[in-house]
Amino acid sequence: MRLEGKVAIVTGAASGFGKGIAERFVREGASVLIADLSAEAGEAVAAALNAERPDAARFVRTDVSRDADTAVAIATAIEAFGGLDIVVNNAGYTHRNKPMAEVTEDEFDRIFAVNVKSIFLSVRHAAPHLAAKGGSILNIASTAGLRPRPGLTWYNSSKGAVITATKSMAVELAPKQIRVNCLCPVLGQTGMTSTFLGEDTPERRAQFLATIPLGRMSTPEDIANAALYLSSDEASMITGVALEVDGGRCI
Ligand SMILES: NC(=O)c1ccc[n+]([C@@H]2O[C@H](COP(=O)([O-])OP(=O)(O)OC[C@H]3O[C@@H](n4cnc5c(N)ncnc54)[C@H](O)[C@@H]3O)[C@@H](O)[C@H]2O)c1
């Protein structure tokens, strides 16, 4: 029960890494607001968590790139659970793996709106309410922001921005004792995998796996374990880090 009594918002928690984080946080005692575009999947995750522990989770349909939606999600968490301790900015979007000049302007704008602008919107609404003791923001970046490879240039750039924003937010919020960190996962089996790979074939997967020293993709459980540590009071002296969860990929 490492998050007992804490209130968390996890964006993009209807699927993949965010779902794994929400499940782990609830099992560690937190109350979790699931903010996602997908109402059907988000409601299902909340219902399953409430079956484990009554009133452990709530779902609010949210487009994290929209200011009004973000305000409602944060206000709902505070109203439903009586405060706010942890914000996990996890929702993400990417263009399919392709040459950078073939990415459309709409794709570019959406990538930066969902991956970067969302953090700006979220901190504006959340920071005034985050608990002075133990307040934590965790952004989900990517190894793509540390060791970019061809084919995902604008996604890679957005994750580079997430890493720099994390460090800058960490120093700016430190006087309020709010910690800000980010995770850099390597390729994981989620809703985004085939878009990252472009051509999702056994050969392409084998080629990618060969670049990960530990020899496997990341899992939602791997990301949830790291998120749990950085969001808990065990990490109370840790702020501004970009933690690779990548089986050695970035070495
Ligand atoms: N899967 C990987 O290989 C990988 C690697 C590194 C980083 N990441 C990052 O992890 C995060 C989670 O992605 P995932 O891999 O679990 O993918 P996923 O597709 O399984 O989950 C993403 C979730 O975000 C939601 N979402 C998308 N746009 C949204 C919006 N505008 N507002 C609210 N919700 C929105 C989707 O509905 C979905 O539930 C993303 O930030 C992604 O960039 C993924």
Side-chain angles (χ1 to χ4, degrees), residues 11-19 35-38 41 62-66 89-94 110 113-115 140-144 155 159 183-193 196 217-218 220 223:
T11 70
S15 168
F17 292 160
K19 180 174 178 230
D36 201 292
L37 263 184
S38 169
T62 310
D63 179 343
V64 295
S65 68
R66 293 173 61 95
N89 293 309
N90 163 79
Y93 178 73
T94 183
R110 183 149 178 225
V114 177
N115 297 359
I140 306 304
S142 171
T143 51
Y155 174 77
K159 294 301 186 177
L183 293 180
C184 296
V186 75
L187 187 69
Q189 182 61 59
T190 70
M192 294 176 85
T193 319
F196 286 133
M217 285 161 66
S218 68
I223 307 312

